Amino acid sequence: MSPLAAAPLAAPADPTLADFGKDPWWLIGGKVLVIFVFLVLTVLLSMWVERRVIGRMQLRVGPNRAGPQGLLQGLADGIKLALKEDIVPRQVDKVVFVLAPVMAAVPAFISFIIIPFGPTVSVFGHQTPLQGTDLPVAVLLVLAMASMGVYGIVLAGWSSMSPYSLLGGLRSSAQVISYEIAMGLSFVAVFLFAGSMSTSEIVAAQHDKWFAVLLLPSFIVYVITMMGESNRIPFDLPEGEGELVGGFHTEYSSLKFAMFFLAEYINLATLSALATTLFLGGWRAPAPISTFWAGANSGWWPVLWFLVKLWLFIWFFVWLRASLPRVRYDQLMKLGWKVLMPFSLAWIVLVATIRALRNDGYDMRQIVIYAAVAAAIVLVLTVLWEMIRGGDDDKEGAKRGAGGAGGPAAGGATAAGGGGTAGGGFPVPPMDAPHYHGRGAAARVQTPPGPSTIDTPPEEVTSGTH
């Protein structure tokens, strides 16, 4: 075979920043349309997969009515939400109330534009990268859009004029501040090793070894923080129905609620795609396939490897939702501020030192792997220790609450008339003794006072007048 005949089979060069901005307008519009359709179909399919998988894990059937095997259930839900009555409560800030769902959904779409699906391919005779666009600071765009999405949640809670919605919005802002800092710190090690913030160049830097292996602690920190960033179980505190009814979207209905629903699942896909790009080699084939097949990373085949990695992460999200309970809010904050952030800062210092020595000509490959494994073990043990210690704190708080209550009959709070601690060690306001009768369960039954004892001067009570 002549060299000219063998040339088309050679793998094309990885896309670089210089390859973007040269496409005709119709190709750019086509990329945007394909990404939009891909995200919508991913949302519908991930909803179906989540319900079927959780149904199997919980010994239920799951959706099986709309379409074959229930495949059209997500589409039916969307039509149902669109046809429902759109209720806007009184006294809400209508402009902010309407714009908040838009602010939550639109940034989720924008973030996916910098995700690479594959290498440079030929589309109708034009050589173009399988990526919407790329920037020198592409990863920072994702963090900026994630922060913008939080504005939608916070403003939804504030504009609803509801205490439950307001508390859900405040929880979301505190949670995202905590976990976005740790998420950004997990990216720093990737930037140091790749030498760029461009997603296409980060994928090119993983041609021989994935960063999930070289930077295992950063990968673990990102996996934990992306669960906190997505507001899903076990970190779905902004919409915890046990104490906040529905959270920040309590007052929303119809298409406005559907946009919050859409934003959650698009963020699920975006976070999974970002994890694939930064830590799992992006669109590159796994080692066994790329070792025995020279063309595995050329043409349209890399799209398949990218989708497989993406759906493995989505399945991981679903598995966590079916397996783990919701954590307490103080445990969530403690994990972010007292464990993930200090560990990430120490890990960045270590990675920067190793990178500096490597730039000076030292062979640090084995040292990096050993340091990554050791740091990952320390991180996992620290998280487990915090969980165990948190459980011990709960038990001690329950003992203190029971001891200060004067016996188990009082239900873990102090006797009527005095303050104390509940079962978890939290303060409980004093109860008005004359309004409670008996002990135990009967002590919780409140009898309304007579009209002569409410805001009535003593002289009027004695005289029987009001």
Side-chain angles (χ1 to χ4, degrees):
M1 182 178 296
S2 65
L4 293 178
L9 298 177
D14 292 330
T16 61
L17 287 172
D19 296 326
F20 294 92
K22 302 178 180 180
D23 296 331
W25 64 269
W26 58 267
L27 187 54
I28 296 174
K31 286 183 177 181
V32 173
L33 180 62
V34 168
I35 292 174
F36 177 81
V37 174
F38 170 78
L39 288 176
V40 173
L41 293 178
T42 301
V43 168
L44 296 177
L45 191 57
S46 58
M47 288 169 56
W48 176 79
V49 169
E50 182 172 42
R51 293 175 178 179
R52 295 289 291 189
V53 170
I54 292 179
R56 285 297 185 93
M57 289 183 175
Q58 298 176 350
L59 301 180
R60 296 184 290 104
V61 178
N64 62 349
R65 292 289 187 271
Q69 300 295 320
L71 274 171
L72 300 180
Q73 185 63 52
L75 182 61
D77 290 341
I79 296 174
K80 172 186 175 182
L81 286 172
L83 296 179
K84 277 185 170 294
E85 181 182 2
D86 187 10
I87 300 174
V88 179
R90 295 180 180 178
Q91 299 180 351
V92 302
D93 190 328
K94 292 186 178 180
V95 175
V96 180
F97 188 81
V98 172
L99 288 180
V102 179
M103 294 185 65
V106 172
F109 280 100
I110 296 176
S111 299
F112 220 87
I113 198 71
I114 52 91
I115 298 296
F117 285 79
T120 302
V121 298
S122 176
V123 178
F124 297 111
H126 291 271
Q127 293 292 325
T128 180
L130 286 177
Q131 183 175 349
T133 187
D134 199 4
L135 302 169
V137 289
V139 181
L140 298 186
L141 174 68
V142 178
L143 292 176
M145 290 300 103
S147 302
M148 289 295 296
V150 178
Y151 277 101
I153 296 176
V154 174
L155 292 177
W158 176 80
S159 64
S160 296
M161 301 298 290
S162 167
Y164 300 110
S165 302
L166 180 60
L167 287 174
L170 293 176
R171 279 188 177 187
S172 177
S173 61
Q175 179 172 326
V176 170
I177 288 172
S178 303
Y179 282 83
E180 256 189 23
I181 295 175
M183 178 183 289
L185 292 175
S186 70
F187 293 162
V188 173
V190 175
F191 300 155
L192 289 173
F193 264 73
S196 174
M197 297 183 187
S198 163
T199 50
S200 58
E201 294 184 3
I202 290 174
V203 173
Q206 301 178 70
H207 65 280
D208 56 343
K209 190 176 293 293
W210 292 353
F211 287 155
V213 177
L214 288 177
L215 305 173
L216 181 60
S218 296
F219 178 62
I220 295 176
V221 170
Y222 176 78
V223 169
I224 297 175
T225 55
M226 75 178 187
M227 289 187 292
E229 188 75 14
S230 62
N231 291 335
R232 288 171 58 89
I233 289 179
F235 296 157
D236 63 334
L237 277 303
E239 49 182 296
E241 69 276 1
E243 66 275 10
L244 295 179
V245 185
F248 61 90
H249 53 64
T250 300
E251 307 297 337
Y252 282 88
S253 59
S254 190
L255 283 178
K256 297 185 183 67
F257 175 78
M259 295 190 73
F260 284 118
F261 204 66
L262 183 69
E264 175 183 337
Y265 280 90
I266 293 178
N267 284 328
L268 191 68
T270 302
L271 292 170
S272 301
L274 192 63
T276 300
T277 302
L278 297 183
F279 295 101
L280 298 185
W283 44 263
R284 295 186 178 276
I289 298 177
S290 59
T291 302
F292 297 102
W293 182 14
N297 291 325
S298 61
W300 293 86
W301 285 106
V303 179
L304 176 61
W305 318 134
F306 176 82
L307 292 177
V308 169
K309 298 174 187 178
L310 175 73
W311 277 100
L312 285 176
F313 265 103
I314 292 178
W315 184 87
F316 174 73
F317 270 107
V318 174
W319 174 54
L320 289 179
R321 178 174 181 177
S323 305
L324 298 180
R326 180 182 294 123
V327 299
R328 273 204 334 254
Y329 194 70
D330 60 323
Q331 294 173 332
L332 177 72
M333 292 290 102
K334 185 184 297 183
L335 177 63
W337 288 98
K338 298 180 66 175
V339 177
L340 297 182
M341 289 186 197
F343 175 83
S344 297
L345 290 172
W347 170 243
I348 289 172
V349 172
L350 178 61
V351 170
T353 304
I354 293 175
R355 184 64 179 175
L357 293 174
R358 184 179 176 184
N359 291 339
D360 290 339
Y362 295 95
D363 185 10
M364 306 297 295
R365 182 60 60 91
Q366 297 297 326
I367 297 178
V368 170
I369 296 177
Y370 294 150
V373 173
I377 294 174
V378 171
L379 175 61
V380 173
L381 292 178
T382 304
V383 172
L384 293 177
W385 170 250
E386 285 293 331
M387 294 173 61
I388 295 174
R389 192 175 69 174
D392 292 340
D393 292 343
D394 295 343
K395 294 177 182 178
E396 290 296 328
K399 291 179 181 178
R400 290 195 302 268
T414 59
T421 55
F426 298 101
V428 175
M431 300 177 181
D432 195 358
H435 299 163
Y436 291 81
H437 307 277
R439 295 180 60 83
R444 301 184 184 90
V445 180
Q446 184 175 3
T447 58
S452 61
T453 62
I454 302 179
D455 298 330
T456 305
E459 63 272 8
E460 294 186 2
V461 174
T462 56
S463 62
T465 61
H466 297 282

